[in-house]
Every structure is written in structure tokens, then in C-alpha cells.
Amino acid sequence: MRILIAEDDKRLLKSLVHIFEMNHYAVDGVDNGVDAFDYASTDEYDGIVLDIMMPGMDGVTLLKKLRATGITTPALFLTAKAEIEQRIEGLDAGADDYLPKPFVTAELLARVRAMLRRKDHFTPDMLTFGALSLNRSTYELVVDGNNQSLSGKEFQVMEMLMQNPGAIVTAEQLITHIWGWDTSVDTSVLWVHISNIRKKLEVLSAPVAIKFVRNAGYVLEATV
């Protein structure tokens, strides 16, 4: 697995490169957003670990630009900004996960492994529910030839719902499936991803909806 790390603190960057190399990853490290964008644009990485506050280009802007060009490489934010607003901003930009500083090395590695899991289980085919399709090759929602790209976590949420159409999937099932049984992720993070998916379904005028069933979970239903 090849990882790109973007961190403007040179001491921390050196430590991160060492941590990942010691755990058998191929690693490139950069200390500014401009270089990070150039490296990531090659689409040669399995995952990206990046800070939000960087010179040249901040991490959120960087990730938005990458997603706009079709780069779907899973990304994790390392940031000192632990407030929920910054977490949501990063997730809305297309991040798959976040980890506030200071962090424990074991948790960082566990989160990166979880982030990369979707590549390990890559299956190039389509899921279909009515007029809506989920392209497992490109991580896109497709309706009548129009498409919307999904982040890694959005893709995993939608994949699970489309594998169980019409059935209630609990928040606990989604969180455990996507982040692992020992995760500290709570339902607010899941809600952000589902909210993002709903917006993309609206853009596509998809004849389906993700409905919340109180005290039960979420269900994918046809609307026509």
C-alpha cells in the first residue's frame, strides 16, 4: 500500500513517515498543500493522510479540488481542530475519516487500515435499485447516464443500503460495518455521510430515498 502524507509540521511529518514505513507502507511526505495536490493528482496512492491547516493550500480546499477532478483516493484528516464544525467541513469536502491531534499511533494505524479496507475488497461491478445504480468500479451513483461521485465512506453506506433495499439497517450496523466494532465514531458522523448522499440523490433526481425510521435505523425506498 502506498500512502501520501501532507503535514506542515516537519518534525511530525518525519515521525509520520517513519511510523508508516515501519509498518510496511510505501510513503511520500510533503509539507505544503500545493505539493500535496500535485502528488495526489497522479492517482497513484491507496490513501492520503493530510492536515487541514497547510501553507499554499489548506487541506479542505485540496480535497475538494481532488474530488472535482475525479480522484477518489480515500483520505483521512489529521487536525488540531477537534470541533464538530471542522469535522463536518472535512467530511463534506470528501474525507473518509478524521483523527484529532494529539493522537495515539495505534489508533492512527487502525483508522488507516479501515480507510483502505474498501480497496482490499474491491469488486468491479454494479448494484442496481430501480433506476439507480451504484458503480463499484468508480464509486459513483448513476441515474439515466448522469452520475455523482461518492467518498469512500459514502460509498460504503450506500453499498450496504443497496444490498438490503427496503430493509431497515440500524445505525449500529452501519457504523460497525464501516468503521469497525471498536470505533469511537458516533451517529452524528454517520448522519453527515447520509445527508451528503441524500443531496447527491436529489441532484440526480433519483426515484429513491434514504428514510430514517425512529428508534430503528435507515431504509432505502423507491419514491415512484
Side-chain angles (χ1 to χ4, degrees), residues 96-111:
D96 297 84
D97 203 354
Y98 62 87
L99 183 61
K101 302 173 186 175
F103 55 86
V104 177
T105 298
E107 182 179 8
L108 169 63
L109 292 170
R111 285 178 179 264

Side-chain angles (χ1 to χ4, degrees), residues 140-165:
E140 292 176 325
L141 291 171
V142 183
V143 177
D144 295 331
N146 299 311
N147 58 67
Q148 285 283 307
S149 297
L150 299 175
S151 72
K153 289 293 187 288
E154 290 168 6
F155 168 79
Q156 290 175 295
V157 169
M158 200 63 196
E159 181 183 45
M160 193 169 184
L161 290 173
M162 290 188 71
Q163 287 174 329
N164 300 276

Side-chain angles (χ1 to χ4, degrees), residues 22 32 39 44 53 78 102 113 137 169 174 186 212 221:
M22 290 296 291
N32 66 85
Y39 276 64
E44 296 178 354
M53 301 304 296
L78 286 179
R113 286 194 299 270
S137 299
V169 181
L174 285 163
D186 59 27
F212 175 67
E221 293 183 347

Side-chain angles (χ1 to χ4, degrees), residues 23-24 33 36 82 84 86 90 94-95 98 105 108 117 140-141 151 155 175 198 208 210-211 220:
N23 284 274
H24 311 295
I84 190 65
Q86 280 70 40
Y98 62 87
T105 298
L108 169 63
R117 198 171 293 139
E140 292 176 325
L141 291 171
S151 72
F155 168 79
I175 290 172
R198 284 171 171 160
V208 302
I210 301 173
K211 294 188 176 180
L220 186 68

